[in-house]
Amino acid sequence: MSIKVAVVTGSNKGIGFAIVRGLCKRYKGVVYLTSRDVERGEKAVADLKKEGLSPKFHQLDITDNKSVEIFSSYIKASYGGIDIMVNNAAIAFKRNATESVAVQAEKTLFVNYFSTLSTCEQLFPLLRDGARVVNISSSCGHLTNIPSENLRQRLQDPSLTVSELSNLMREYVEAAKLGTQAAEWGNSSYVVSKVGLTALTKIQQRMLNDRDIKVNAVHPGYVDTDMSSHKGPLKIDEGAEAPLFLALDAPDSVRGEFIWYNKKIVSWDGEIPEEKY
């Protein structure tokens, strides 16, 4: 019988770290904490081992195709497949960032959308039937954050393809470079990247339906992490609860959905629920 495998990207700190901790406590399989920085990743694993948990570490930088290729080959040779994949790695520029809108747009979309997509394209062939994929989105990933009705309709088109979605994301980056993005896309590259990730989730689910693979996006809540400049009221373990629900506990009928931190399914194009956290 094959060993079950869970992989969490960008998990040496924050919500990703807490997801690894939660999986180690409950998952009957091997859990991989991954990080682009080997030293930080190994320290995170050592910290969890002090708690009596047993994650494994492997270097993984989602922005580096070679790194993803090495990781993919290692998992395939060692285990033959993946059963849980949590796409957590992401970046966010601070509000007072000095980089231009154009630079912020290019870098944010490169990591949060394009690098997540390329990592999925390399690792999805390893997903075993019945696997679960959790894409860490955000309340920013709600479709109503996009001002243009035309864009909203295109993004939720049930026949939208990955290449069409990627072209839309490129259109945003080009608009940001020209300074014309605000009217249609709004002023946040992070919003666009997470809307793109949520749209990608729905496409991925359609592509994997016939293999009983569940792909869902989740807003983990406003969590006290480096990314939120430690302004979020939730602790990282609270931020991990909804992602862990999707990875371990959600009914098989939950697929291609957008889940809120309270584990409730949210209409992607409906009203944004009142945000307590």
Side-chain angles (χ1 to χ4, degrees):
M1 191 171 146
S2 58
I3 298 169
K4 299 270 190 187
V5 178
V7 173
V8 186
T9 69
S11 49
N12 61 287
K13 64 178 182 176
I15 296 169
F17 179 80
I19 293 170
V20 170
R21 178 193 273 142
L23 286 169
C24 284
K25 287 178 177 177
R26 293 188 49 209
Y27 189 56
K28 292 179 171 56
V30 175
V31 181
Y32 270 89
L33 182 153
T34 70
S35 164
R36 61 183 172 174
D37 184 290
V38 172
E39 195 176 325
R40 288 178 185 171
E42 288 178 342
K43 182 189 180 301
V45 164
D47 289 344
L48 289 172
K49 285 186 173 171
K50 286 176 195 165
E51 297 178 22
L53 304 173
S54 304
K56 292 187 179 291
F57 173 71
H58 200 289
Q59 193 275 345
L60 177 63
D61 179 352
I62 68 165
T63 69
D64 179 352
N65 278 331
K66 187 68 184 166
S67 170
V68 181
E69 197 178 297
I70 290 168
F71 179 69
S72 174
S73 298
Y74 169 78
I75 292 292
K76 186 175 184 181
S78 303
Y79 305 100
I82 295 172
D83 302 279
I84 292 174
M85 180 174 173
V86 182
N87 288 306
N88 172 72
I91 64 164
F93 283 87
K94 303 297 182 191
R95 290 215 169 134
N96 60 355
T98 55
E99 290 88 348
S100 68
V101 170
V103 167
Q104 290 189 40
E106 194 150 46
K107 289 193 173 178
T108 304
L109 271 289
F110 172 65
V111 177
N112 296 3
Y113 175 79
F114 287 105
S115 295
T116 299
L117 170 59
S118 61
T119 299
C120 288
E121 286 175 342
Q122 287 206 61
L123 294 182
F124 273 19
L126 296 180
L127 292 176
R128 289 194 260 249
D129 290 353
R132 293 183 172 214
V133 178
V134 182
N135 292 328
I136 306 298
S137 185
S138 161
S139 58
C140 292
H142 198 277
L143 193 59
T144 54
N145 289 306
I146 301 297
S148 162
E149 185 181 347
N150 175 52
L151 278 175
R152 292 197 303 269
Q153 287 177 350
R154 288 169 73 187
L155 286 160
Q156 64 179 325
D157 184 338
S159 63
L160 185 70
T161 65
V162 171
S163 70
E164 288 167 346
L165 174 59
S166 294
N167 283 337
L168 281 170
M169 295 297 102
R170 288 186 196 97
E171 281 178 26
Y172 165 73
V173 174
E174 291 310 309
K177 288 177 179 177
L178 294 169
T180 59
Q181 82 287 357
E184 291 201 309
W185 291 98
N187 276 315
S188 169
S189 292
Y190 187 75
V191 161
V192 176
S193 74
K194 290 302 187 179
V195 166
L197 181 64
T198 310
L200 179 64
T201 301
K202 293 180 178 294
I203 298 170
Q204 289 174 332
Q205 182 63 70
R206 292 201 306 271
M207 293 166 67
L208 294 167
N209 258 337
D210 60 346
R211 295 186 49 211
D212 190 34
I213 293 171
K214 278 70 71 175
V215 189
N216 292 287
V218 59
H219 161 47
Y222 194 27
V223 181
D224 178 0
T225 63
D226 288 351
M227 194 177 274
S228 72
S229 300
H230 299 280
K231 291 176 180 168
L234 296 178
K235 295 182 172 63
I236 58 172
D237 291 307
E238 293 174 304
E241 285 179 9
L244 287 167
F245 167 73
L246 287 174
L248 299 171
D249 303 316
D252 283 351
S253 58
V254 178
R255 50 181 75 202
E257 299 288 2
F258 188 30
I259 303 286
W260 224 238
Y261 63 87
N262 59 5
K263 306 174 190 171
K264 298 279 193 285
I265 295 172
V266 167
S267 170
W268 191 38
D269 61 340
E271 271 187 53
I272 295 185
E274 188 177 332
E275 182 111 40
K276 186 180 171 192
Y277 297 118

